[in-house]
Amino acid sequence: MIYVLLGGSEDEQYARARRVALNEVSKYVDLLKQAAGFSDLKRLKAPEDTVKAMTGERDRLQAAGVKNLHDTDTIKESGNAVRAALQARGIPLEQSKAVVEQLQWAWNVWSGMTHGLGWPQLAPGDFTEDGVYPLPGSWVSDYHAMAAVTSIATALYGQALIQDTDPSL
């Protein structure tokens, strides 16, 4: 939600909402197509008209030129919106930019580790003696940074809604 409404013109917000919609419907279509091949869990198969409708919506959005959405897009763009809000409150660019970069780094590396991939072990950064934390910092501090920025974004957006003003961060 924050990603969709994180500022800019209504057209920019609409474009982000369409990217989210394409992502949602595409993932759902993938699931429906996998379930169509199930032989034991047949009750999980969707009705053909549902599959057709979802596939049609996905195709319509793609034909309209809607760009695919990647998780890293939401992290980067949301981080940049929070950075702009921090700058507006007097936090220097050098400090606020580092927050965005740490979010991108932490999201990518910890996501890779969560998915059981090996490449995060190769990522440069501060390591513990046993090599467990391939990041600047540790899981706790990096997770705290992500949670803190998300909290800032949520609070700023909430304030804008209460004040009935432009919800731009």
Side-chain angles (χ1 to χ4, degrees):
M1 180 62 119
I2 292 170
Y3 168 73
V4 171
L5 301 172
L6 58 77
S9 68
E10 283 187 24
D11 288 342
E12 290 169 320
Q13 291 174 351
Y14 181 68
R16 287 192 297 271
R18 292 179 73 198
R19 290 181 74 193
V20 169
L22 175 59
N23 184 60
E24 293 285 330
V25 75
S26 293
K27 299 288 184 182
Y28 188 49
V29 166
D30 291 345
L31 174 68
L32 295 178
K33 288 186 175 185
Q34 287 178 25
F38 289 175
S39 57
D40 290 329
L41 302 176
K42 295 176 184 176
R43 292 190 63 181
L44 297 178
K45 293 182 181 182
E48 187 56 39
D49 60 333
T50 300
V51 176
K52 188 175 181 178
M54 293 295 107
T55 302
E57 181 62 11
R58 180 204 59 204
D59 295 347
R60 183 187 70 77
L61 289 166
Q62 288 174 334
V66 176
K67 295 185 340 183
N68 286 326
L69 174 69
H70 303 284
D71 292 339
T72 52
D73 296 337
T74 61
I75 294 298
K76 184 176 181 179
E77 293 178 36
S78 297
N80 283 330
V82 169
R83 179 193 48 74
L86 291 172
Q87 278 187 271
R89 292 180 179 231
I91 305 293
L93 173 63
E94 297 78 28
Q95 292 174 5
S96 60
K97 185 177 176 190
V99 169
V100 176
E101 291 175 357
Q102 183 181 8
L103 285 176
Q104 291 170 328
W105 179 266
W107 176 265
N108 283 292
V109 174
W110 288 112
S111 176
M113 289 189 77
T114 301
H115 287 91
L117 303 174
W119 66 262
Q121 298 294 333
L122 303 173
D126 293 336
F127 290 87
T128 61
E129 287 181 26
D130 60 3
V132 173
Y133 300 116
L135 286 179
S138 69
W139 165 250
V140 174
S141 62
D142 291 326
Y143 186 78
H144 179 268
M146 276 195 245
V149 168
T150 301
S151 177
I152 292 167
T154 303
L156 291 172
Y157 185 70
Q159 289 171 9
L161 288 177
I162 290 169
Q163 296 169 6
D164 194 31
T165 62
D166 180 7
S168 298
L169 296 175

Coordinates of all heavy atoms in Angstrom, one line a residue, residues 57-110:
E57 N -7.0 -10.7 -17.8 CA -6.6 -9.5 -17.1 C -5.1 -9.3 -17.2 O -4.6 -8.2 -17.4 CB -7.1 -9.5 -15.7 CG -6.7 -8.3 -14.9 CD -7.3 -7.0 -15.4 OE1 -8.2 -7.0 -16.3 OE2 -6.9 -5.9 -14.9
R58 N -4.3 -10.3 -17.0 CA -2.8 -10.3 -17.1 C -2.4 -9.8 -18.5 O -1.6 -8.9 -18.6 CB -2.2 -11.6 -16.7 CG -0.7 -11.6 -16.8 CD -0.1 -12.9 -17.1 NE -0.6 -13.5 -18.3 CZ -0.6 -14.8 -18.6 NH1 -0.2 -15.7 -17.7 NH2 -1.0 -15.2 -19.8
D59 N -3.0 -10.4 -19.5 CA -2.7 -10.1 -20.9 C -3.1 -8.7 -21.2 O -2.3 -8.0 -21.9 CB -3.4 -11.1 -21.8 CG -2.9 -12.5 -21.7 OD1 -1.8 -12.7 -21.0 OD2 -3.5 -13.4 -22.2
R60 N -4.2 -8.2 -20.7 CA -4.6 -6.8 -20.9 C -3.6 -5.8 -20.3 O -3.2 -4.8 -21.0 CB -6.0 -6.6 -20.3 CG -6.6 -5.2 -20.6 CD -7.9 -5.0 -19.8 NE -7.7 -4.8 -18.4 CZ -7.2 -3.8 -17.8 NH1 -6.9 -2.7 -18.5 NH2 -7.0 -3.7 -16.5
L61 N -3.2 -6.1 -19.1 CA -2.2 -5.2 -18.4 C -0.9 -5.2 -19.2 O -0.3 -4.1 -19.4 CB -2.0 -5.6 -17.0 CG -3.2 -5.3 -16.1 CD1 -3.1 -6.0 -14.7 CD2 -3.4 -3.8 -15.9
Q62 N -0.5 -6.4 -19.6 CA 0.8 -6.4 -20.3 C 0.7 -5.7 -21.7 O 1.6 -5.0 -22.1 CB 1.2 -7.9 -20.5 CG 1.7 -8.6 -19.3 CD 2.0 -10.0 -19.4 OE1 1.4 -10.7 -20.3 NE2 2.8 -10.6 -18.5
A63 N -0.4 -5.9 -22.4 CA -0.6 -5.2 -23.7 C -0.7 -3.7 -23.5 O -0.3 -3.0 -24.4 CB -1.9 -5.8 -24.3
A64 N -1.1 -3.3 -22.3 CA -1.2 -1.8 -22.1 C 0.2 -1.2 -21.7 O 0.4 -0.1 -21.5 CB -2.2 -1.5 -21.0
G65 N 1.2 -2.1 -21.7 CA 2.6 -1.6 -21.4 C 2.9 -1.5 -20.0 O 3.9 -0.9 -19.6
V66 N 2.1 -2.1 -19.1 CA 2.5 -2.1 -17.7 C 3.7 -2.9 -17.4 O 3.9 -4.0 -17.9 CB 1.3 -2.7 -16.8 CG1 1.6 -2.7 -15.3 CG2 0.0 -1.9 -17.0
K67 N 4.7 -2.3 -16.7 CA 5.9 -2.9 -16.4 C 5.8 -4.0 -15.3 O 5.0 -3.7 -14.3 CB 7.0 -1.9 -16.0 CG 7.4 -0.9 -17.0 CD 8.5 0.0 -16.7 CE 8.8 0.2 -15.2 NZ 9.8 1.2 -14.9
N68 N 6.5 -5.0 -15.4 CA 6.5 -6.0 -14.3 C 7.1 -5.4 -13.0 O 8.0 -4.5 -13.1 CB 7.4 -7.2 -14.7 CG 6.7 -8.1 -15.7 OD1 5.5 -8.3 -15.7 ND2 7.5 -8.7 -16.6
L69 N 6.6 -5.8 -11.9 CA 7.0 -5.3 -10.6 C 7.9 -6.4 -10.0 O 7.6 -7.5 -9.9 CB 5.8 -5.1 -9.7 CG 6.1 -4.7 -8.3 CD1 6.6 -3.3 -8.3 CD2 4.8 -4.7 -7.5
H70 N 9.0 -5.9 -9.4 CA 9.9 -6.8 -8.7 C 10.0 -6.2 -7.3 O 9.8 -5.0 -7.0 CB 11.3 -6.7 -9.4 CG 11.3 -7.2 -10.8 ND1 11.1 -8.5 -11.2 CD2 11.3 -6.4 -11.9 CE1 11.1 -8.5 -12.5 NE2 11.2 -7.3 -13.0
D71 N 10.2 -7.1 -6.3 CA 10.3 -6.7 -4.9 C 11.3 -5.6 -4.7 O 11.1 -4.7 -3.9 CB 10.7 -7.9 -4.1 CG 9.5 -9.0 -4.0 OD1 8.4 -8.6 -4.3 OD2 9.8 -10.1 -3.6
T72 N 12.4 -5.7 -5.4 CA 13.5 -4.7 -5.3 C 13.0 -3.3 -5.7 O 13.4 -2.3 -5.2 CB 14.8 -5.1 -6.0 OG1 14.5 -5.4 -7.4 CG2 15.4 -6.3 -5.4
D73 N 12.0 -3.3 -6.6 CA 11.5 -2.0 -7.1 C 10.8 -1.3 -5.9 O 10.9 -0.1 -5.7 CB 10.5 -2.2 -8.2 CG 11.1 -2.7 -9.5 OD1 12.3 -2.5 -9.7 OD2 10.3 -3.3 -10.3
T74 N 10.0 -2.1 -5.2 CA 9.2 -1.5 -4.0 C 10.2 -1.0 -3.0 O 10.0 0.0 -2.4 CB 8.2 -2.5 -3.5 OG1 8.9 -3.6 -3.0 CG2 7.2 -2.9 -4.5
I75 N 11.2 -1.8 -2.7 CA 12.2 -1.4 -1.7 C 12.9 -0.1 -2.1 O 13.0 0.8 -1.3 CB 13.2 -2.6 -1.4 CG1 12.6 -3.8 -0.8 CG2 14.4 -2.1 -0.5 CD1 11.9 -3.5 0.5
K76 N 13.4 -0.1 -3.3 CA 14.1 1.1 -3.8 C 13.3 2.3 -3.8 O 13.6 3.4 -3.3 CB 14.7 0.8 -5.2 CG 15.6 1.9 -5.7 CD 16.2 1.6 -7.0 CE 17.1 2.7 -7.5 NZ 17.8 2.4 -8.7
E77 N 12.1 2.2 -4.4 CA 11.2 3.4 -4.5 C 10.7 3.9 -3.2 O 10.6 5.1 -2.9 CB 10.1 3.1 -5.6 CG 10.7 3.0 -7.0 CD 9.6 2.6 -8.0 OE1 8.5 3.1 -7.9 OE2 9.9 1.9 -8.9
S78 N 10.3 2.9 -2.3 CA 9.8 3.3 -1.0 C 10.9 3.9 -0.2 O 10.7 4.9 0.5 CB 9.2 2.0 -0.3 OG 8.1 1.5 -1.0
G79 N 12.1 3.3 -0.3 CA 13.3 3.9 0.4 C 13.6 5.3 0.0 O 13.9 6.1 0.8
N80 N 13.5 5.5 -1.3 CA 13.7 6.9 -1.8 C 12.7 7.9 -1.3 O 13.0 9.0 -1.1 CB 13.8 6.9 -3.4 CG 15.1 6.3 -3.9 OD1 16.1 6.5 -3.3 ND2 15.1 5.7 -5.1
A81 N 11.4 7.4 -1.2 CA 10.4 8.3 -0.7 C 10.7 8.6 0.8 O 10.5 9.8 1.2 CB 9.0 7.6 -0.8
V82 N 11.1 7.6 1.6 CA 11.4 7.9 3.0 C 12.7 8.8 3.0 O 12.7 9.7 3.9 CB 11.7 6.5 3.7 CG1 12.3 6.8 5.1 CG2 10.4 5.8 3.8
R83 N 13.6 8.6 2.2 CA 14.8 9.4 2.1 C 14.4 10.9 1.9 O 14.9 11.8 2.6 CB 15.8 9.0 1.0 CG 17.1 9.9 1.0 CD 17.9 9.7 -0.3 NE 17.1 9.6 -1.5 CZ 16.6 10.7 -2.1 NH1 16.7 11.9 -1.6 NH2 16.0 10.5 -3.3
A84 N 13.5 11.1 0.9 CA 13.0 12.5 0.7 C 12.3 13.1 1.9 O 12.5 14.2 2.2 CB 12.1 12.5 -0.5
A85 N 11.6 12.2 2.6 CA 10.9 12.7 3.8 C 11.9 13.1 4.9 O 11.7 14.1 5.6 CB 9.9 11.7 4.3
L86 N 12.9 12.2 5.0 CA 14.0 12.5 6.0 C 14.7 13.8 5.7 O 15.0 14.6 6.6 CB 14.9 11.3 6.1 CG 14.4 10.1 6.7 CD1 15.4 8.9 6.6 CD2 14.0 10.3 8.2
Q87 N 15.0 14.0 4.4 CA 15.7 15.2 4.0 C 14.8 16.4 4.3 O 15.3 17.5 4.7 CB 16.0 15.2 2.5 CG 17.2 14.4 2.2 CD 17.6 14.5 0.7 OE1 17.1 13.7 -0.1 NE2 18.4 15.6 0.4
A88 N 13.5 16.3 4.0 CA 12.6 17.4 4.3 C 12.5 17.8 5.8 O 12.2 18.9 6.2 CB 11.2 17.0 3.8
R89 N 12.9 16.8 6.6 CA 12.9 17.0 8.1 C 14.3 17.4 8.6 O 14.6 17.3 9.8 CB 12.4 15.8 8.8 CG 10.9 15.7 8.5 CD 10.3 14.5 9.2 NE 8.9 14.4 8.9 CZ 8.0 14.3 9.9 NH1 8.3 14.2 11.1 NH2 6.7 14.2 9.5
G90 N 15.3 17.7 7.6 CA 16.6 18.1 8.0 C 17.7 17.1 8.1 O 18.8 17.4 8.5
I91 N 17.4 15.9 7.8 CA 18.4 14.8 7.8 C 19.3 15.0 6.5 O 18.7 15.0 5.4 CB 17.8 13.4 7.8 CG1 16.9 13.2 9.0 CG2 18.9 12.3 7.8 CD1 17.5 13.3 10.3
P92 N 20.6 15.1 6.6 CA 21.4 15.4 5.4 C 21.3 14.2 4.4 O 21.1 13.1 4.8 CB 22.8 15.5 5.9 CG 22.7 15.7 7.4 CD 21.4 15.1 7.8
L93 N 21.4 14.6 3.1 CA 21.4 13.6 2.0 C 22.3 12.4 2.3 O 22.0 11.3 2.0 CB 21.7 14.2 0.7 CG 21.8 13.3 -0.5 CD1 20.5 12.6 -0.8 CD2 22.3 14.1 -1.8
E94 N 23.5 12.7 2.8 CA 24.5 11.7 3.0 C 24.0 10.6 3.9 O 24.2 9.4 3.7 CB 25.8 12.2 3.5 CG 26.5 13.2 2.6 CD 25.9 14.6 2.6 OE1 25.3 15.0 3.6 OE2 26.0 15.3 1.5
Q95 N 23.3 11.0 4.9 CA 22.8 10.1 5.9 C 21.5 9.4 5.4 O 21.4 8.2 5.6 CB 22.5 10.8 7.2 CG 23.7 11.2 8.0 CD 23.3 12.0 9.2 OE1 22.2 12.2 9.6 NE2 24.4 12.6 9.8
S96 N 20.6 10.1 4.8 CA 19.4 9.5 4.3 C 19.7 8.6 3.1 O 19.0 7.5 3.0 CB 18.4 10.5 4.0 OG 18.8 11.4 3.0
K97 N 20.6 8.9 2.3 CA 21.0 8.0 1.2 C 21.5 6.7 1.6 O 21.2 5.6 1.1 CB 22.0 8.7 0.3 CG 22.3 8.0 -1.0 CD 23.3 8.7 -1.9 CE 23.6 7.9 -3.1 NZ 24.7 8.4 -3.9
A98 N 22.3 6.7 2.7 CA 22.8 5.5 3.3 C 21.7 4.5 3.7 O 21.8 3.3 3.6 CB 23.8 5.8 4.4
V99 N 20.6 5.1 4.2 CA 19.5 4.3 4.7 C 18.9 3.5 3.5 O 18.6 2.3 3.6 CB 18.4 5.2 5.4 CG1 17.1 4.4 5.6 CG2 18.9 5.7 6.7
V100 N 18.7 4.2 2.4 CA 18.2 3.6 1.2 C 19.1 2.5 0.7 O 18.6 1.4 0.4 CB 17.9 4.6 0.1 CG1 17.4 3.9 -1.2 CG2 16.9 5.6 0.5
E101 N 20.4 2.7 0.7 CA 21.3 1.7 0.2 C 21.3 0.5 1.1 O 21.4 -0.6 0.7 CB 22.7 2.4 0.0 CG 22.8 3.4 -1.1 CD 24.1 4.1 -1.2 OE1 25.0 3.9 -0.4 OE2 24.2 4.9 -2.2
Q102 N 21.3 0.8 2.4 CA 21.3 -0.4 3.4 C 20.0 -1.2 3.2 O 20.1 -2.4 3.3 CB 21.4 0.1 4.8 CG 21.5 -1.1 5.8 CD 21.5 -0.7 7.2 OE1 21.4 0.5 7.6 NE2 21.7 -1.7 8.1
L103 N 18.9 -0.5 3.0 CA 17.7 -1.3 2.7 C 17.8 -2.2 1.5 O 17.4 -3.3 1.5 CB 16.5 -0.3 2.5 CG 15.9 0.4 3.8 CD1 14.8 1.3 3.4 CD2 15.4 -0.7 4.8
Q104 N 18.3 -1.6 0.4 CA 18.5 -2.4 -0.8 C 19.4 -3.6 -0.6 O 19.1 -4.7 -1.0 CB 19.0 -1.6 -1.9 CG 18.0 -0.5 -2.4 CD 18.7 0.5 -3.4 OE1 19.8 0.8 -3.3 NE2 17.9 1.0 -4.3
W105 N 20.5 -3.3 0.1 CA 21.5 -4.4 0.4 C 20.9 -5.5 1.3 O 20.9 -6.7 0.9 CB 22.7 -3.8 1.0 CG 23.8 -4.8 1.4 CD1 23.9 -5.4 2.6 CD2 24.8 -5.2 0.5 NE1 25.0 -6.2 2.5 CE2 25.6 -6.1 1.3 CE3 25.1 -4.9 -0.8 CZ2 26.7 -6.8 0.7 CZ3 26.2 -5.6 -1.3 CH2 27.0 -6.5 -0.6
A106 N 20.3 -5.0 2.4 CA 19.7 -6.0 3.3 C 18.6 -6.8 2.7 O 18.5 -8.0 2.8 CB 19.2 -5.3 4.6
W107 N 17.7 -6.2 1.9 CA 16.6 -6.9 1.3 C 17.1 -8.0 0.4 O 16.7 -9.1 0.4 CB 15.7 -5.9 0.5 CG 14.6 -6.6 -0.2 CD1 14.7 -7.0 -1.5 CD2 13.4 -7.1 0.3 NE1 13.5 -7.7 -1.8 CE2 12.7 -7.7 -0.7 CE3 12.8 -7.0 1.6 CZ2 11.5 -8.3 -0.5 CZ3 11.5 -7.5 1.7 CH2 10.9 -8.2 0.7
N108 N 18.1 -7.6 -0.5 CA 18.6 -8.6 -1.5 C 19.3 -9.7 -0.8 O 19.1 -10.9 -1.1 CB 19.4 -7.9 -2.5 CG 18.6 -7.1 -3.5 OD1 17.9 -7.7 -4.3 ND2 18.7 -5.8 -3.4
V109 N 20.3 -9.4 0.1 CA 21.1 -10.5 0.7 C 20.3 -11.3 1.6 O 20.3 -12.6 1.5 CB 22.3 -9.9 1.4 CG1 23.1 -11.0 2.1 CG2 23.2 -9.2 0.4
W110 N 19.5 -10.7 2.5 CA 18.7 -11.6 3.4 C 17.6 -12.3 2.7 O 17.3 -13.5 3.1 CB 18.2 -10.7 4.6 CG 19.3 -10.3 5.5 CD1 19.7 -9.1 5.7 CD2 20.1 -11.2 6.3 NE1 20.8 -9.1 6.6 CE2 21.0 -10.4 7.0 CE3 20.1 -12.5 6.6 CZ2 21.9 -10.9 7.9 CZ3 21.0 -13.1 7.5 CH2 21.9 -12.2 8.1

